[in-house]
């Protein structure tokens, strides 16, 4: 099975991607991790990407697509990619070359106010940088560090991030809609409820 998982920041996308990967035996491809790994290992692509990151710029679509292309196994769930229409087109092209097709583009839907509420209360470990939901008590369960608020988690910054997200992903949703692959999944409720909904959607896909 080959899946794309779409969803705004704060939609629980990473958590659900991990669960789907385990349940269906899929390779979990998290773009953020790959990017960090390429940079850390100082691969050709990593060195190029780092130059953009150091300059405060987005890593170009083509560079990200090249990183993904080198790693994709036959069954996967993509988390954090594609993030723009050019990336989606380049993914379609890549799959075509391999003779593969996508089974579904799952789109997690969360009302904006709910996202702002989730993200603005979020806490981060000041030591190991692990992120915890609102209401988690110090110290960090992983390293014993102190938990604090993230500087960029205030309501205005979050709404701005959501605007950017929607502007770049709307064309993406339309693209997968036209291909008949888009599956809208309400991402409210507990992680268990959302996971059940995703599984039910996949059975119908
Ligand atoms: Zn920690």
């Amino acid at each position: 099975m080959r899946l794309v998982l779409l969803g705004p920041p704060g939609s629980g996308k990473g958590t659900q991607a991990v669960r789907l990967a385990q349940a269906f035996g899929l390779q979990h491809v998290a773009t953020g991790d790959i990017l960090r790994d390429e940079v850390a290992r100082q691969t050709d692509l990593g060195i190029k990407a780092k130059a953009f990151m150091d300059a405060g710029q987005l890593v170009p679509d083509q560079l990200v697509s090249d990183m993904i292309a080198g790693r994709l196994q036959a069954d996967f769930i993509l988390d954090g990619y594609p993030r723009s229409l050019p990336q989606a087109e380049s993914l379609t092209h890549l799959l075509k070359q391999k003779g593969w097709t996508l089974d579904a583009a799952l789109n997690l839907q969360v009302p904006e106010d709910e996202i702002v509420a989730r993200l603005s209360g979020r806490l981060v470990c000041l030591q190991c940088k692990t992120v915890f939901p609102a209401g988690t008590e110090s110290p960090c369960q992983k390293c014993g560090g102190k938990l604090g608020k993230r500087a960029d988690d205030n309501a205005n910054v979050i709404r701005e991030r959501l605007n950017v997200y929607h502007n770049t992903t709307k064309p993406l949703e339309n693209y997968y809609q036209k291909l008949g692959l888009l599956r809208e999944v309400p991402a409210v409720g507990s992680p268990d409820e959302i996971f059940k909904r995703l599984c039910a959607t996949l059975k119908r896909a």
Side-chain angles (χ1 to χ4, degrees):
M1 186 155 48
R2 298 180 196 100
L3 302 172
V4 162
L5 187 60
L6 307 172
S11 62
K13 190 157 47 91
T15 307
Q16 297 299 333
V18 169
R19 296 185 68 162
L20 287 168
Q22 281 169 351
F24 295 95
L26 312 174
Q27 175 196 15
H28 175 209
V29 184
T31 324
D33 293 347
I34 290 178
L35 203 55
R36 278 187 289 277
D37 178 60
E38 297 271 347
V39 171
R41 289 193 295 121
Q42 301 191 319
T43 61
D44 286 350
L45 292 171
I47 290 166
K48 280 185 199 158
K50 190 172 185 296
F52 288 98
M53 290 153 79
D54 286 346
Q57 293 169 354
L58 283 177
V59 179
D61 285 333
Q62 189 57 50
L63 214 51
V64 178
S65 296
D66 288 347
M67 287 182 191
I68 304 287
R71 293 182 180 234
L72 232 42
Q73 296 169 9
D75 294 283
F76 58 77
I77 178 161
L78 286 168
D79 164 12
Y81 179 93
R83 200 161 258 181
S84 64
L85 188 56
Q87 287 186 356
E89 286 166 342
S90 107
L91 176 64
T92 301
H93 182 70
L94 172 69
L95 294 180
K96 211 179 228 170
Q97 282 178 333
K98 292 182 180 279
W100 294 348
T101 51
L102 209 59
D103 293 280
L106 300 161
N107 193 24
L108 295 176
Q109 290 183 308
V110 195
E112 179 162 324
D113 288 344
E114 163 100 17
I115 296 181
V116 173
R118 280 186 203 174
L119 292 187
S120 56
R122 207 159 64 156
L123 297 167
V124 64
C125 171
L126 302 176
Q127 202 161 294
C128 72
K129 308 295 175 204
T130 304
V131 177
F132 296 96
T136 308
E137 290 195 18
S138 254
C140 168
Q141 299 146 10
K142 277 193 181 170
C143 76
K146 223 180 141 197
L147 304 188
K149 264 189 113 171
R150 280 171 35 137
D152 61 347
D153 274 352
N154 77 61
N156 287 337
V157 176
I158 292 165
R159 284 191 198 278
E160 180 52 35
R161 255 157 67 198
L162 287 176
N163 277 339
V164 172
Y165 174 81
H166 287 300
N167 287 340
T168 50
T169 52
K170 257 292 159 234
L172 204 58
E173 291 168 19
N174 295 339
Y175 177 77
Y176 285 120
Q177 180 81 56
K178 272 186 204 141
L179 292 176
L181 293 172
L182 193 70
R183 305 281 180 271
E184 303 284 7
V185 181
V188 286
S190 71
D192 278 344
E193 287 166 334
I194 299 167
F195 180 66
K196 273 185 199 147
R197 235 173 268 144
L198 285 164
C199 291
T201 304
L202 285 174
K203 284 197 183 109
R204 285 196 304 270

